[in-house]
Amino acid sequence: MNATIDRRLCEIRGKVESRERLSVDDGLYLDQHADLATLGELANIVRERKNGNVTYYNVNEHLNPTNVCVYRCTFCAFRADLKSERGYTMSDEQILERADEASERGCTELHIVGGLHHQKPYEWYLNIIRIIHQNYPDLHLKAWTAVEWDWFSRVTGRPTQELIAEMKDAGLGSLPGGGAEIFHPDIRPKICEYKADAGDWLRIHREAHELGLHSNATMLYGHIENIEHRLDHLARLRELQDETDGFQTFIPLAFHPANTRLDHIPKPSGLTDLRTMAISRLMLDNFPHVKAYWVMLGMQIAQVAQSYGADDLDGTVVHEKIYHDAGSDSPQEMTVREIRRLIEETGRVPIERDTLYHEIIREPGRTWTKGRKLLVEA
């Protein structure tokens, strides 16, 4: 390593240690010149400053009410046409059966996203939230990506913030981070044409935050984008978080090409996964948490990621379909015992959380209570 590179890396290290914000140029420099060990070391400083030596997980299930979708995103293997043999739409009874299963398993969260069914009105989606909340009020409902909210607005002609408020009254608890993909205008139209653009995605999350709802954020990497596009994406998220402080968790999502129109692109390597995780943690200085989503990363990389900026492993994730349809070979679910073992093997302390990062304390008989808010850094 020459003296100029060494000096610049020392300057960036100084910024990290003194809690000074990194610039996009700093992020680009790290990607081009920092080795993996250095990136992990720097990201771990931020990770432990914010969340100590713990790794969080939750007990959750996924509900994808339909895979019929009006959009044809090139990266998606989940969607189906209305008349496709793969297409399905769940009935109210099936939806409540899934919610009952989640409740019986001791879940604290139901993660609800799906296709944009062009023959189902907005009221069908609203009813899903309403009937689950009425029957299982203890389940936190994290529902509908910004792309879905944009679609609801298009089919109703109503403002998205009005729709979010209506769903909140019906039992909506928070928003997931899906649909962000890559914000950059050179990339987004090529992978998800016609879908809500970057401005819409950010606006919808801003509106949710203004209504008092928290949300997550994601980034799909490892397809046709490059580091400049990823850094642009992270910078836009950081700017909105400065404004609203409404994001809880950032989840970098590794692209799975199988069964998509981009199946000629190789899946991101473990090295890319860890570098992306670390740079995300370093750039998103105002995000409390960064998640290593084991469904997409695989369990081994998700474990290693706990030393590269991640402090969350997600949860039990029963019935996940979107990424398994795209070739994910991870299990369909994990038990709490398995999750805790994976965390303990990394040298971290496992703590169960709810969606809003309150500690969950399990009592005999499968009852649970909420404990303290899980934030180390003020």
Side-chain angles (χ1 to χ4, degrees):
M1 180 180 296
N2 65 47
T4 301
I5 293 176
D6 185 64
R7 188 182 311 115
R8 181 70 187 279
L9 287 177
C10 285
E11 291 173 357
I12 294 174
R13 177 184 292 275
K15 283 187 172 183
V16 173
E17 292 176 345
S18 62
R19 307 188 185 209
E20 184 179 347
R21 172 161 289 180
L22 300 187
S23 67
V24 169
D25 284 343
D26 290 332
L28 184 61
Y29 196 87
L30 285 171
D31 182 77
Q32 293 175 341
H33 298 290
D35 59 44
L36 186 61
T38 298
L39 280 176
E41 180 187 359
L42 294 176
N44 194 56
I45 291 173
V46 180
R47 181 246 200 264
E48 294 195 351
R49 178 190 298 154
K50 288 183 175 293
N51 294 291
N53 194 43
V54 304
T55 290
Y56 307 116
Y57 69 93
N58 67 337
V59 180
N60 65 340
E61 284 201 24
H62 281 217
L63 171 65
N64 308 124
T66 182
N67 66 345
V68 175
C69 190
V70 68
Y71 292 139
R72 297 175 176 270
C73 299
T74 59
F75 62 84
C76 182
F78 171 70
R79 72 159 308 276
D81 291 327
L82 180 64
K83 297 181 179 180
S84 169
E85 292 182 357
R86 290 185 55 253
Y88 73 86
T89 300
M90 296 174 70
S91 66
D92 287 358
E93 291 74 21
Q94 290 172 317
I95 288 167
L96 287 175
E97 285 176 5
R98 180 65 55 78
D100 184 69
E101 176 185 280
S103 179
E104 285 298 309
R105 285 173 174 262
C107 292
T108 59
E109 172 190 288
L110 200 56
H111 179 115
I112 310 172
V113 298
L116 305 175
H117 197 307
H118 55 288
Q119 291 189 359
K120 290 294 184 183
Y122 158 74
E123 287 73 20
W124 182 74
Y125 292 88
L126 174 63
N127 184 60
I128 290 172
I129 300 300
R130 179 174 289 130
I131 62 174
I132 295 175
H133 182 67
Q134 288 175 347
N135 288 276
Y136 303 95
D138 288 338
L139 281 177
H140 180 104
L141 305 183
K142 184 174 70 178
W144 316 133
T145 69
V147 173
E148 288 163 298
W149 291 108
D150 177 72
W151 175 252
F152 300 157
S153 179
R154 295 187 192 198
V155 298
T156 62
R158 296 167 58 191
T160 49
Q161 191 165 33
E162 180 180 305
L163 299 173
I164 296 170
E166 185 173 43
M167 288 253 195
K168 181 183 177 184
D169 289 341
L172 178 72
S174 64
L175 271 62
E181 324 312 356
I182 286 289
F183 291 147
H184 200 283
D186 289 347
I187 301 299
R188 193 173 186 85
K190 296 177 182 178
I191 61 172
C192 48
E193 190 178 14
Y194 306 120
K195 203 160 78 168
D197 63 16
D200 288 327
W201 193 98
L202 293 164
R203 172 185 54 78
I204 288 165
H205 280 261
R206 179 186 295 108
E207 291 171 351
H209 299 168
E210 290 171 350
L211 288 168
L213 294 173
H214 290 285
S215 68
N216 293 342
T218 63
M219 177 179 71
L220 185 70
Y221 67 90
H223 42 91
I224 63 172
E225 94 295 350
N226 61 35
I227 183 60
E228 286 86 358
H229 303 128
R230 294 195 289 273
L231 289 169
D232 171 80
H233 189 100
L234 296 172
R236 296 189 198 209
L237 289 174
R238 188 169 70 180
E239 181 179 359
L240 180 56
Q241 181 73 336
D242 279 344
E243 179 184 338
T244 67
D245 195 31
F247 288 118
Q248 296 195 123
T249 310
F250 174 72
I251 310 105
L253 301 174
F255 175 58
H256 284 253
N259 304 315
T260 76
R261 286 186 284 158
L262 296 175
D263 59 5
H264 59 284
I265 297 175
K267 179 182 174 182
S269 68
L271 180 67
T272 298
D273 293 334
L274 295 175
R275 293 184 71 86
T276 303
M277 187 71 64
I279 289 176
S280 297
R281 176 67 282 176
L282 289 165
M283 295 299 296
L284 295 177
D285 53 63
N286 53 5
F287 271 62
H289 306 283
V290 174
K291 182 185 295 183
Y293 186 34
W294 64 263
V295 172
M296 296 196 76
L297 294 175
M299 291 181 287
Q300 289 76 22
I301 294 297
Q303 280 184 296
V304 178
Q306 302 306 309
S307 295
Y308 284 81
D311 62 273
D312 195 305
L313 207 63
D314 205 271
T316 45
V317 192
V318 183
H319 300 299
E320 195 287 321
K321 292 182 63 63
I322 294 174
Y323 301 115
H324 283 89
D325 283 352
S328 173
D329 58 3
S330 61
Q332 267 288 351
E333 63 177 286
M334 278 204 293
T335 66
V336 169
R337 179 177 296 179
E338 289 171 328
I339 291 174
R340 294 183 67 89
R341 176 184 60 81
L342 290 176
I343 293 170
E344 288 169 349
E345 286 179 352
T346 70
R348 305 295 187 180
V349 178
I351 291 184
E352 183 184 347
R353 60 164 178 87
D354 68 4
T355 308
L356 302 179
Y357 282 85
H358 296 98
E359 183 175 3
I360 295 297
I361 303 169
R362 296 280 171 175
E363 304 291 348
R366 295 193 308 174
T367 60
W368 53 271
T369 57
K370 294 181 182 180
R372 60 189 175 88
K373 182 74 171 178
L374 296 168
L375 286 175
V376 173
E377 185 181 59

